[in-house]
Amino acid sequence: MQSELNVIADAIDSVQEAATADVEPTANPVPLETYLRPDVPVTPLPQSEVLAAAPATADGMFVAPQILGEE
Amino acid sequence: MTDTTELVKLSAVQMAEKLRAKEITSRDLVSAQLDVIDAAEPSIKAFLTVSGEAALEQADAFDNLSDSEKAELPELAGVPIAIKDMIVTKGIQTTAASRILEGWIPPYDATVIEKLKAAHMPLLGKTNLDEFAQGSSTEHSAYQNTSNPWDVERVPGGSGGGSAAAVSSFEAPLALGTDTGGSIRQPGALTGTVGVKPTYGGVSRFGAIAMASSLDQIGPVTRTVLDSALLQEIIGGHDKRDSTSIPEGPRPMVAAAREGQRRDLKGLKVGLVKELNGEGFQPGVEARFHEAVDMLTAMGAEVVEVSCPNFKYSLGAYYIIMPSEVSSNLARYDGMRYGLRVMPPEDVAQTAANMMAYTREAGFGDEVKRRIILGTYALSAGYYDAWYGSAQKVRTLIINDFKKAFEQADVLVSPTSPTTAFKFGEKMDDPLAMYMNDIATIPANLAGVPAMSIPAGLSDDGLPVGFQFIAPQQRDEVMYKPAAALEAALEESWGAPIWSSLKTPWLDGLNK
């Protein structure tokens, strides 16, 4: 995989030729004015449905493995 | 009652006409499609999940509506549809063709699915794709290879090879796909079907599993241009749950397609994109493309050559922006809330971080890993400006190229894909060769403009060639008119639709 990644990296390097300082970047091709939606309460998914696909649950919560390496 | 094989070869519009005339029921249509799916799947393998019982229930619900209730529904009401397994469906397994989502039953519907259900269109099932829509041959699916109905030893294109193969093989009259760099249009080209990528923001992405959010778009997969127009009007329009959704209704695409069928293109200026044909394109693809351009001229269109000099950078920009967004979007698969969780072996610390590493090692395939690594690298300090920043600037240059081109022409044209369908394994060991399949489709994604592929005939090898139309942003109807006109002119020259040349052994023996 490493050699494949190097080949791809060389191929995409060409963008630097075109990206001169006078060009503005584009993040969203269809710029929309950002707006706030009305703050209307909605009913979220029931807890049972949210937890249904979780690998491990307890007491209505997701169970994560320990976060830090030591006890 | 019409024979199964005759019924499933109808366009969606023709099926809908028979429903309205009460010659058939929606249950007849769904049953016929399920029979074809049973017969075709051993050789085609387009579906990951078939939801036959639910589809029959949905068909019955439509059939039980009163005439006045049916009259309120869209034209394609009662006609069944297949869904790319990249779009979430409540109660139906959704995998993105990845092991990491194996067995996941979504608790909600994508907005497009809600709209299809509101239109009483039964869902036949979920179609195969390259894992997380990353690939151009559907060979990167974690589950199965889908065959091209024109030659089962060849790929159907990708990532939406399942939807394209299902529609091409008559397993479904309609399907939905997602197009990030050509994943609807390139499979359309390789399977002789119609595939449309709408304007970015024209169809809600809510419930489309995110790959590269600034490029992804849901769109129609059909056998005719008019069917795509009707489907796009059903799934399109504003959705407050997608912040990039354009706050306007769908464009008048059905009217444009119907107008196009009259085959009068006087006054239309067609721009032939110099950089998107010639070198690197298969001679048979070039030949069909230029014959089709001549037909546009014969119908009164004026053809001019336009140049988009920055398109040569589009592949490079795409393979920076797309993996960058992929690396961010796929970080959600962390083994916590849904999807696969693989705990480390006993001699490794049982931490959350190790669990994520083992989960992703087991859950993601090679191409997905390649793109996550590339994207993480492109976004890392020290490379961000040189790569991601440069790619975003190239995006501006490509948008400017399109702006200039659309000053000279109403609609742009090119071959959809440089080659016809290739054999399984042919490009799997050479990622760059695989990426080149999307050379003509990627610019439209980078610029957010709408584009579609329609069949342009068969190449010297007997395999379908795609013809691409590209229109300005939020003017999707502009490409539907010449596309419908060209489709009608081509079908007249062939004496029948392109699929009349398709051998369909799986349909033999279906008429009881």
Side-chain angles (χ1 to χ4, degrees):
Chain A
M1 186 176 283
Q2 194 180 347
S3 62
E4 285 166 3
L5 286 170
N6 284 333
V7 172
I8 299 167
D10 289 342
I12 61 185
D13 243 354
S14 68
V15 295
Q16 293 183 53
E17 298 168 25
T20 48
D22 55 326
V23 184
E24 289 294 319
T26 297
N28 180 342
V30 182
L32 297 174
E33 218 163 300
T34 49
Y35 58 92
L36 294 174
R37 62 170 170 76
D39 190 13
V40 182
V42 292
T43 312
L45 285 175
Q47 190 185 44
S48 60
E49 284 184 32
V50 172
L51 294 173
T57 63
D59 303 329
M61 291 179 280
F62 296 108
V63 175
Q66 63 184 98
I67 303 299
L68 299 173
E70 59 257 16
E71 292 302 316
Chain B
M1 170 74 199
T2 321
D3 283 346
T4 297
T5 53
E6 275 176 48
L7 196 56
V8 298
K9 286 184 176 177
L10 297 175
S11 70
V13 166
Q14 291 168 328
M15 290 178 180
E17 278 166 13
K18 285 192 178 289
L19 285 174
R20 275 193 300 280
K22 296 195 163 53
E23 289 172 39
I24 54 167
T25 62
S26 180
R27 174 173 269 266
D28 293 335
L29 279 175
V30 170
S31 300
Q33 296 296 165
L34 292 174
D35 286 347
V36 174
I37 290 171
D38 269 348
E41 275 303 277
S43 52
I44 304 296
K45 298 190 179 74
F47 283 85
L48 291 174
T49 305
V50 177
S51 47
E53 277 183 32
L56 286 168
E57 281 171 25
Q58 290 159 349
D60 289 343
F62 169 81
D63 290 332
N64 290 331
L65 295 176
S66 68
D67 288 351
S68 59
E69 284 168 325
K70 286 180 185 172
E72 300 285 305
L73 295 173
E75 192 169 331
L76 296 183
V79 178
I81 185 167
I83 308 294
K84 188 181 186 184
D85 208 19
M86 193 71 172
I87 299 172
V88 304
T89 42
K90 186 173 182 174
I92 304 174
Q93 173 178 246
T94 300
T95 65
S98 179
R99 291 285 172 209
I100 214 159
L101 281 178
E102 192 168 6
W104 182 51
I105 311 286
Y108 71 105
D109 273 325
T111 296
V112 291
I113 300 297
E114 285 183 349
K115 290 188 174 195
L116 294 177
K117 285 182 175 173
H120 282 270
M121 297 174 69
L123 309 182
L124 293 168
K126 308 298 291 288
T127 58
N128 196 22
L129 63 151
D130 287 291
E131 184 178 3
F132 284 104
Q134 298 175 26
S136 306
S137 69
T138 312
E139 290 167 288
H140 293 299
S141 166
Y143 300 100
Q144 64 197 31
N145 277 346
T146 296
S147 291
N148 190 316
W150 290 82
D151 176 353
V152 293
E153 315 223 310
R154 290 174 190 271
V155 304
S159 66
S163 282
V167 169
S168 169
S169 66
F170 305 105
E171 288 180 310
L174 304 164
L176 289 186
T178 63
D179 190 312
T180 304
S183 286
I184 292 175
R185 290 162 287 157
Q186 184 257 8
L190 270 50
T191 59
T193 53
V194 176
V196 183
K197 184 203 89 71
T199 294
Y200 180 76
V203 177
S204 168
R205 290 183 299 107
F206 179 79
I209 293 176
M211 173 194 173
S213 306
S214 78
L215 303 162
D216 297 341
Q217 188 59 206
I218 293 175
V221 177
T222 66
R223 286 191 295 268
T224 74
V225 172
L226 180 58
D227 285 354
S228 274
L230 286 157
L231 183 52
Q232 196 180 332
E233 286 198 12
I234 291 170
I235 60 174
H238 183 240
D239 180 10
K240 64 180 192 300
R241 293 177 295 186
D242 173 0
S243 65
T244 59
S245 170
I246 296 167
E248 279 171 41
R251 305 290 305 173
M253 294 166 284
V254 175
R258 291 208 157 107
E259 198 189 331
Q261 289 176 336
R262 294 206 293 267
R263 291 163 56 181
D264 179 2
L265 297 180
K266 276 191 275 301
L268 184 80
K269 284 181 102 175
V270 174
L272 200 154
V273 184
K274 197 173 102 186
E275 288 76 9
L276 295 184
N277 65 90
E279 203 192 333
F281 286 73
Q282 209 173 288
V285 170
E286 281 278 288
R288 294 299 89 75
F289 172 69
H290 287 292
E291 287 160 17
V293 170
D294 289 345
M295 283 188 174
L296 294 174
T297 311
M299 289 185 282
E302 184 193 339
V303 178
V304 294
E305 189 177 72
V306 298
S307 177
C308 296
N310 292 294
F311 278 18
K312 63 173 174 286
Y313 300 112
S314 59
L315 199 68
Y318 178 75
Y319 275 95
I320 294 170
I321 291 168
M322 178 273 294
S324 296
E325 296 185 12
V326 163
S327 73
S328 169
N329 274 324
L330 269 57
R332 77 192 58 185
Y333 303 103
D334 56 7
M336 294 292 186
R337 295 152 301 156
Y338 58 103
L340 184 71
R341 173 183 286 189
V342 176
M343 288 306 290
E346 276 179 23
D347 55 341
V348 175
Q350 303 287 301
T351 61
N354 288 339
M355 178 275 285
M356 286 184 215
Y358 279 87
T359 297
R360 289 165 177 165
E361 167 60 24
F364 288 140
D366 280 353
E367 179 63 17
V368 170
K369 284 175 186 161
R370 206 151 35 221
R371 294 189 189 195
I372 291 172
I373 292 169
L374 205 61
T376 309
Y377 185 65
L379 291 176
S380 61
Y383 291 94
Y384 181 93
D385 286 342
W387 275 13
Y388 192 71
S390 299
Q392 285 194 313
K393 288 184 174 185
V394 167
R395 210 164 175 177
T396 307
L397 296 172
I398 285 164
I399 290 170
N400 291 343
D401 277 2
F402 272 118
K403 274 187 190 146
K404 283 185 200 132
F406 285 124
E407 283 165 14
Q408 300 165 62
D410 302 305
V411 65
L412 306 180
V413 297
S414 80
T416 309
S417 174
T419 69
T420 54
F422 44 94
K423 292 207 159 143
F424 288 107
E426 203 175 310
K427 299 185 181 180
M428 279 297 269
D429 297 328
D430 186 350
L432 271 187
M434 188 72 93
Y435 297 171
M436 288 301 285
N437 288 303
D438 296 329
I439 189 86
T441 47
I442 281 171
N445 297 84
L446 288 170
V449 298
M452 69 193 295
S453 178
I454 73 163
L458 304 178
S459 182
D460 320 331
D461 52 14
L463 296 166
V465 171
F467 187 101
Q468 179 175 234
F469 290 92
I470 310 174
Q473 262 185 22
Q474 300 185 56
R475 302 280 315 282
D476 300 44
E477 73 279 11
V478 170
M479 63 188 179
Y480 272 101
K481 182 181 167 185
L486 179 58
E487 174 184 62
L490 284 165
E491 288 187 0
E492 190 188 68
S493 77
W494 301 328
I498 190 165
W499 48 257
S500 63
S501 308
L502 174 67
K503 292 188 188 70
T504 52
W506 53 88
L507 295 182
D508 296 345
L510 268 183
N511 297 330
K512 303 149 206 158

